[in-house]
Amino acid sequence: MPFYVTTPIYYVNAAPHLGHAYTTIGADILARHQRQRGEDVFFLTGTDEHGEPVAQVAEREGISPKELADRNAQRFLDLLPQINVSNDFFIRTSDPRHKRRVQEVMQRVHDNGHVYKGLYEGWYCPKCADFKTEAEIAEGNTCPIHRIPLDREREENWFFRLSTFEQPLKDLYAERPDFVTPRSRYNEALAFINGGLQDISLSRSKISWGVEVPWDPGHVFYVWFDALLNYYTALSFARDGEDLTDRFWPANFHILGKDILKFHAVFWPAMLLAADIPLPRRELIHGYLLMRDAEGVETKMSKSLGNVLDPFAVMETFGTDALRYYCFREVGFGQDGGVSTATFGERYESELANEYGNLASRTLAMITRYRGGIVPDADVDATLAPDFEGLVGEVSELLDRAEITQALDRIWQRVRRLNRYVEESAPWQLARDEANAARLDVTLRSLAEGIRAVTVLLHPYMPETAAKLLAALGDEELGLDAAEFGARPGGSAVGELPPLFPKPQ
Ligand SMILES: [Zn+2]
């Protein structure tokens, strides 16, 4: 089955930060999990490069917008290996192949009668690259997101007849209650639609850094339309000489932050309907990772506070897997939640180093000491097996709904179960009496098998750790069937396990 997952494309003027890493890792977890299931996966991320802010900064620096975009896109390209994501393509909207495809689609919207020329006047935030509706204007005509004064803009524009899609969008939301998740975001988008949709500006004539309107070359498309279309256009040129559109469209998941809900949950489906393109299956809206100060009070990111979680510093000191794990363990994906260096440190030590890392190193050490480094080819323990029954199905079902944190929690319950099992079965005592040899075989085999099963399931979250640990267990099979407890034969030779979560120097 095809599985297509996307992140938003990131605005090229921003510097990559924790928020970008968070969204992209979330998409990566889903992509890796689907590959384990043997699905045909395509995972897209990229950069949004048009619009006034890029043109303005380039002008200030005396370079062309394209030069600025080239330079800044590189920072997002550099982030990908750092956070160890497995994207299949990186789209840049300044790519001429993207532009051509945008023009094709928009020409269809035009020919279908969904655009008209009119005069637009309104309050515009240059940083959002968006006109604000009455409800979105903060005190003193400022942008509620950027807290800067809005500009009063008036220009002749092409308009998109969004208003005619009010009923089709209501029908969509009624027919597909999981089109937008979580439910709170679905309700928010639906409330926006129910509030009445006004036609929206589709083009700008004052700037030239964008995709030219094919039927009126003095205009470029409003950057949002060109950007949203990346999800569709990328498939037509991501592989040389091959068009992947029929294979992967419609997308299974668009993953995005709640600040761009309206564009994705209202404008985007309306645009696709206008162009006769099938709608994506689901949009998953995640919340914000909020920083907490030393007193636990949530605060904005600020380096001077000292307790701010700097993702680059965390990866440098603790490794990428620790960051990937923590972000999805600490805060429920889809919700807002606090992150801090303090709670990172607690989870690193108590969960990653003790519950998981120590469990693995103790088990391997016992197999080496008591059984010459060979996992006994015994049956798995019948008292432990029921605790693993159905786990693979549960995790798959949760990840089908992008419930990334809940799936991780189910896996971690088994990590904790294995820790209790070590204490209950006390292999070091069994080892003292040869009469217990068969019992010890069962215990060591069950521990190795349990660790292997959870590690296969943890691969999407912590790919490097999983690779090291599976190699040390002598069985590197990553397919999801291998995550069944007792699925693989015993008898493999265990190897050296480097410290998975060492104490930082
Ligand atoms: Zn703004």
Side-chain angles (χ1 to χ4, degrees), residues 482-496:
E484 298 287 352
F485 182 72
R488 306 286 292 173
S492 57
V494 302
E496 278 294 306

Side-chain angles (χ1 to χ4, degrees), residues 313-472:
V314 165
M315 289 189 285
E316 171 106 24
T317 309
F318 299 93
T320 298
D321 278 357
L323 179 76
R324 291 174 63 109
Y325 172 82
Y326 172 75
C327 289
F328 291 89
R329 179 80 170 143
E330 182 70 14
V331 178
F333 195 58
Q335 314 299 317
D336 286 344
V339 293
S340 67
T341 52
T343 55
F344 173 83
E346 285 161 26
R347 287 203 189 267
Y348 183 82
E349 199 184 319
S350 71
E351 296 182 357
L352 291 177
N354 289 340
E355 291 176 346
Y356 187 48
N358 273 353
L359 173 73
S361 58
R362 282 172 86 186
T363 299
L364 288 167
M366 290 190 288
I367 291 169
T368 301
R369 192 177 324 138
Y370 305 139
R371 290 296 178 263
I374 305 293
V375 179
D377 195 9
D379 287 339
V380 289
D381 196 328
T383 65
L384 189 60
D387 293 320
F388 281 81
E389 226 172 78
L391 174 62
V392 175
E394 270 173 57
V395 168
S396 299
E397 228 171 89
L398 287 165
L399 290 179
D400 278 340
R401 301 198 301 268
E403 307 259 24
I404 294 175
T405 302
Q406 287 88 334
L408 179 55
D409 187 59
R410 299 299 165 87
I411 303 166
W412 214 259
Q413 286 170 13
R414 273 58 174 206
V415 171
R416 291 185 169 160
R417 176 69 188 96
L418 290 167
N419 277 284
R420 288 197 305 276
Y421 181 74
V422 177
E423 296 310 317
E424 288 161 12
S425 53
W428 49 92
Q429 283 176 10
L430 296 174
R432 284 186 202 142
D433 187 347
E434 196 46 39
N436 294 326
R439 182 76 220 134
L440 181 60
D441 281 346
V442 166
T443 303
L444 293 177
R445 167 82 210 285
S446 301
L447 278 172
E449 188 57 10
I451 293 168
R452 198 193 53 72
V454 294
T455 302
V456 172
L457 291 172
L458 286 171
H459 154 76
Y461 298 86
M462 297 192 280
E464 281 175 66
T465 301
K468 282 184 212 163
L469 185 40
L470 291 175

